[in-house]
Amino acid sequence: MQNGIELRIKGKVQGVGFRPFVWLLANRFNLFGDVNNDGQGVLVRFYAPEEKKLTQFLQALQQELPPLAKITALSQRQISASDIPHDEFLIRESENNAMDTQIVPDAATCPDCLRELFDRNNRRYHYPFINCTHCGPRFTIIKAIPYDRPNTSMAAFPFCPQCKNEYQNPADRRFHAQPNACADCGPHIWLSDQTQVLSQYDEAIEQAAQLLKDGKIIAIKGIGGFHLAVDAGNEHAVHTLRQRKHRPSKPLAIMVPNLEYLTALSEAEIRLLSSPAAPIVLLAKDKVPHVAEAIAPRLNEIGVMLPSNPLQHLLLHAVNRPLVMTSANPSGEPPVLKNEDAQSKLAGLADNFLFHNRDILQRADDSLVRAAFDGTETIRRARGYVPDETALAQAIEKPILALGADLKNTFCLARSQRAVVSQHIGDTNNELVKQQLIDNLALFRQIYQFAPQAIAVDCHAGYFTHQRGLALADELQVPYVEVLHHHAHIVSVMAEHNLQGQVIGLALDGIGMGENQQLWGGECLLVDDKTCHHLGGLPAVALPGGDRAAVEPWRNFLAHLQQFVPDWQNWMTRRGIDTNWPLLAKAIERKLNCPPISSAGRLFDAVAFALTLAPHKLSWEGEAACILEAQAARSSFTRQQLDSTNLPELLRNIRMPLKGNQLDLAVFWQAFLTAEGTPEALAFAFHYALAQGLAELAHNMAQQYQCERIVLSGGVWHNQLLRRLCKQALADLQVFSAHAYPMGDGGLSLGQAVIAAAKLQA
């Protein structure tokens, strides 16, 4: 009996046109057999051809992949040919068994669908849900594996005869495209106000475009949630949106119809904007003309994206101008997903609603990235990137569920040599976000058929994620592992770069639980995947009023002055602070609700306030630090090649030298407060002094521990100026920072999972 060959293919191979791709290749090489999807990925069987033909087939299989496909593993074995079709090549029905394949992220409208969308002779002309196997919703419409139409929100829309023919034809671009639909059988759109439907289909797009031109605010249902849209060039309309959303100054993202609305883009920026992920990309303001100043007040960058789905393409084409596209949620709550919730919860925010009737099953916010000097920088990872997997350097023996942090929460599923990090969930101080986290955990476990044998949590016992993790461990009767916050930060970058062994970590953020219940935020650490040793960093300073200090920068200014400046009372008086700061100073002296913390984030707040750049009360996280960086980037120093042997006087005088293994903030503050210079120059001097101090500390530790690899992680490292200055000062060492994941808490769960696995396997 003739032998057969079986190929097991794993990776992003479902929902991307992989089976028709195999079918076409098999016909090209005259192979007989079949292909199907199952929980493991894709299974191909065929009669064994001659060696040369097999080699050619395997080469084509890996070199001519569909746009969204990715093979991560391919194995081959001989089988009996008794059950293989002997006179044709077939595509068999999917099987549902143990899950071991990747789910594909949502992908922006492909060029072929975009051409059809605006082709008057095409039957999908102006159809807002056009898609094919190369684009469209994936992750956001899935509820189970395998990825077939009955397991998606498209199950509610039976095929018309034409769409069914496309779906069943292996030679068609829409073969087994699960969201395939047309105006006759698929979802549709309509425009409404608070009480009634105003228009549908093309008329809804035209009317919505006119309302936007008239300055109205419209809530628009997308792929992973709702947006609030308004004319980005209309100052009054933008201010109205800010007022209604209680968002006085936090930057807003905009969407432009096409790249022609932007200027002087780099190749990297064009590549990111035009990628299938279609993220928000941070661009210099001078590259984004003709938008309101209120979009990103006092900052140097604006978040910009291109349309990522057909509805957005139609609307932007009709309105023909940039639009604000910000998440549609009441202040502090997660974005809404359902039409009825939008109608009720956004009643005070939106004038009108552009709805559709395809359910969103998975929330996915817009991803946020930057084409930085050192490569792509991911600030928020969600739509377009999730749930892509990360290959791990070490195999994980027991499946690990890591719960992440309470702010910018993500969670992570890790097993074998792969990790899947969830989309951005948000800040769990809100009850609705907590519930979304719980719901998403359950859904991921169901989709991935994931049974954790251990739970990883942040060691901060007050975190909701810590408490939820312990409850889940008790419920499942599995062990839990507590992980230091900054250990997880450093190991998340190590996991991304497949680094093993020891590294010197510089972990900078606002706050995280460290050893012996100490609050950390500016640490130099000796780290591997199991251990974390504190080597030095910023000195601990009082955090007056606890969490209130994170939103009132003057409190941090007071704490730093009181600790490091002899005549600090004079500086407080000179600064003209209209609060009862003497009372707070006494609380600091008596250590009343003023825990010590070595926080880089709070240092940035204090410096920004010293330069009168920060308000008394912040309206969004990181506001003071972002304004401080923007000011520093405007300094003439940023355009100079700084030579350490011939530095400008201001940079020579303002320093953070080492005092033992800590940066000496007394030397810094006493020089900084008396220095003469513009706010821009002084802001740059602070960045330069901090970078040089950290680099000196890292050099010393690298030499002491014979370790040439430096890892930067923690949210403060999203400061591009600080990162560039520090990397320049460490140019003689190997320096790593995150690219695929956020350096802030959004990447934390990946590090937690790797650490927990290493500790359990030790």
Side-chain angles (χ1 to χ4, degrees), residues 270-403:
I270 292 172
R271 187 168 59 251
L272 285 171
L273 285 163
S274 307
S275 70
I280 300 170
V281 181
L282 287 174
L283 301 176
K285 273 187 174 178
D286 58 8
K287 298 183 179 186
V288 193
H290 312 304
V291 297
E293 175 59 30
I295 298 293
R298 304 184 71 185
L299 301 180
N300 295 340
E301 294 176 307
I302 294 179
V304 180
M305 58 183 154
L306 293 177
S308 63
N309 63 63
L311 176 57
Q312 292 173 351
H313 277 288
L314 291 170
L315 183 62
L316 270 291
H317 182 266
V319 79
N320 198 29
R321 64 186 67 183
L323 298 177
V324 168
M325 282 281 184
T326 189
S327 57
N329 57 303
S331 181
E333 295 188 12
V336 296
L337 303 181
K338 297 179 180 179
N339 293 348
E340 55 269 29
D341 289 341
Q343 194 99 37
S344 60
K345 292 189 174 185
L346 305 180
L349 301 178
D351 299 306
N352 297 92
F353 303 84
L354 192 55
F355 287 128
H356 64 71
N357 60 337
R358 183 178 65 200
D359 288 343
I360 300 169
L361 300 183
Q362 296 267 16
R363 171 188 157 198
D365 299 303
D366 297 312
S367 294
L368 177 62
V369 301
R370 175 193 277 134
F373 70 95
D374 52 358
T376 300
E377 176 187 349
T378 301
I379 300 164
R380 182 173 65 221
R381 184 176 176 273
R383 180 184 53 75
Y385 296 108
V386 174
D388 272 349
E389 295 182 350
T390 290
L392 301 175
Q394 296 269 353
I396 291 178
E397 294 176 1
K398 296 179 178 180
I400 304 283
L401 171 61
L403 272 292

Side-chain angles (χ1 to χ4, degrees), residues 458-463 466 482-489 509-521 523 525 532 596-597 748:
D458 191 283
C459 66
H460 195 309
Y463 275 9
H466 177 103
E482 294 181 324
V483 179
L484 292 177
H485 190 89
H486 298 89
H487 189 190
H489 267 313
D509 63 1
I511 185 171
M513 187 62 72
E515 294 172 334
N516 303 316
Q517 300 296 299
Q518 295 296 306
L519 297 179
W520 286 355
E523 318 309 318
L525 307 166
C532 173
I597 181 172
L748 199 78

